């Protein structure tokens, strides 16, 4: 990042600032700065020091004009980022994050969301058909009317997730910790075999009589 506007153009040739963006934290932290005077001499140190103080004050005020680091990944989102009705199907999304994001009817079908955080996300009617959600964080996520047909959820975290009217035919819930009431509700609608893992849905949920 180069910013010479903080100092008179006649005095400064360039001002290089290296900034560490930390997701979900403000203000950002200045790691290093080097300002080069247009003229060599004793004034270099004074000009650089003045620029550092000015820049630090601007950043400490909130850095409202600097982009949030979590938004750098296309389709990645950040805290509360809206992706309602977007088509994110058949993609490798493992480097992304959707913590508390708005995901109403978002299409994740066929995508790999392994290890991704959807903590607290609003995902009503989201499409996870055939998606891979191994060790995915779905805690406190609103999944009402979501479609998990043929999805793989091995080891996913679903504590306090709202799962009203979801579709789970052919899904694999191996090693997913469920409350007894949630398990009973899912077992009541469970059927089919996952086409990827070959695991029976009822068996993966440890349903009685399976």
């Amino acid at each position: 990042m180069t910013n010479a506007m903080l100092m008179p153009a006649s005095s400064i040739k360039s001002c290089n600032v290296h900034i560490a963006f930390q997701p979900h934290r403000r203000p950002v932290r200045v790691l290093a700065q080097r300002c080069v005077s247009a003229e060599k001499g004793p004034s270099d140190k004074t000009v650089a020091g003045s620029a550092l103080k000015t820049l630090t004050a601007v950043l400490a005020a909130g850095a409202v004009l600097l982009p949030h680091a979590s938004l750098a990944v296309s389709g990645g989102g950040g805290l509360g980022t809206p992706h309602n009705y977007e088509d994110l199907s058949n993609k490798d999304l493992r480097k992304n994050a959707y913590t508390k994001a708005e995901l109403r009817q978002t299409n994740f079908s066929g995508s790999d969301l392994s290890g991704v955080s959807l903590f607290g996300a609003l995902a009503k009617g989201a499409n996870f058909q055939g998606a891979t959600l191994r060790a995915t964080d779905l805690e406190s996520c609103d999944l009402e009317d979501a479609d998990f047909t043929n999805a793989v959820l091995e080891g996913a975290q679903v504590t306090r997730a709202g799962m009203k009217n979801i579709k789970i035919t052919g899904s694999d819930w191996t090693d997913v910790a469920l409350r007894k009431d949630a398990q009973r509700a899912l077992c009541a609608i469970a059927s089919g075999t996952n086409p990827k893992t070959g695991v029976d849905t009822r068996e993966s949920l440890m349903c009685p009589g399976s």
Side-chain angles (χ1 to χ4, degrees):
M1 172 180 176
T2 301
N3 190 343
M5 293 191 295
L6 296 176
M7 293 169 285
S10 60
S11 302
I12 299 302
K13 181 179 181 181
S14 65
C15 179
N16 298 320
V17 182
H18 301 278
I19 297 173
F21 292 100
Q22 300 181 27
H24 317 319
R25 297 179 64 181
R26 289 288 193 268
V28 296
R29 180 163 57 93
V30 179
L31 291 183
Q33 171 173 291
R34 183 182 65 182
C35 296
V36 182
S37 174
E39 298 179 358
K40 297 181 179 179
S43 62
D44 290 357
K45 183 177 181 180
T46 302
V47 172
S50 176
L52 176 59
K53 290 180 180 179
T54 302
L55 180 59
T56 302
V58 171
L59 293 175
V64 294
L65 297 180
L66 293 174
H68 198 288
S70 63
L71 300 181
V73 181
S74 177
L79 188 64
T81 303
H83 290 286
N84 298 319
Y85 313 106
E86 286 189 19
D87 184 1
L88 299 176
S89 61
N90 301 306
K91 298 179 183 296
D92 184 348
L93 304 174
R94 290 175 294 175
K95 294 183 179 180
N96 296 354
Y98 302 97
T99 301
K100 296 186 178 179
E102 297 180 21
L103 305 171
R104 295 180 184 86
Q105 298 185 37
T106 302
N107 183 8
F108 290 107
S109 62
S111 290
D112 191 347
L113 290 151
S114 298
V116 173
S117 173
L118 280 79
F119 178 87
L122 179 57
K124 286 187 176 181
N127 183 0
F128 296 99
Q129 290 187 38
T132 301
L133 298 128
R134 288 187 172 94
T136 300
D137 186 357
L138 298 167
E139 288 192 19
S140 300
C141 186
D142 187 349
L143 299 168
E144 183 177 350
D145 296 322
D147 190 347
F148 289 95
T149 301
N150 296 330
V152 178
L153 295 101
E154 293 179 22
Q157 303 166 51
V158 297
T159 304
R160 296 184 299 279
M163 296 186 284
K164 183 179 179 181
N165 297 327
I166 67 172
K167 299 176 182 178
I168 63 170
T169 300
S171 55
D172 184 348
W173 295 73
T174 301
D175 296 329
V176 176
L178 294 164
R179 299 190 315 269
K180 290 295 182 183
D181 59 333
Q183 181 192 32
R184 286 193 296 269
L186 293 177
C187 285
I189 59 173
S191 64
T193 300
N194 188 269
K196 292 182 180 179
T197 64
V199 175
D200 181 86
T201 300
R202 289 183 60 81
E203 289 184 1
S204 70
L205 288 165
M206 295 186 290
C207 298
S210 58

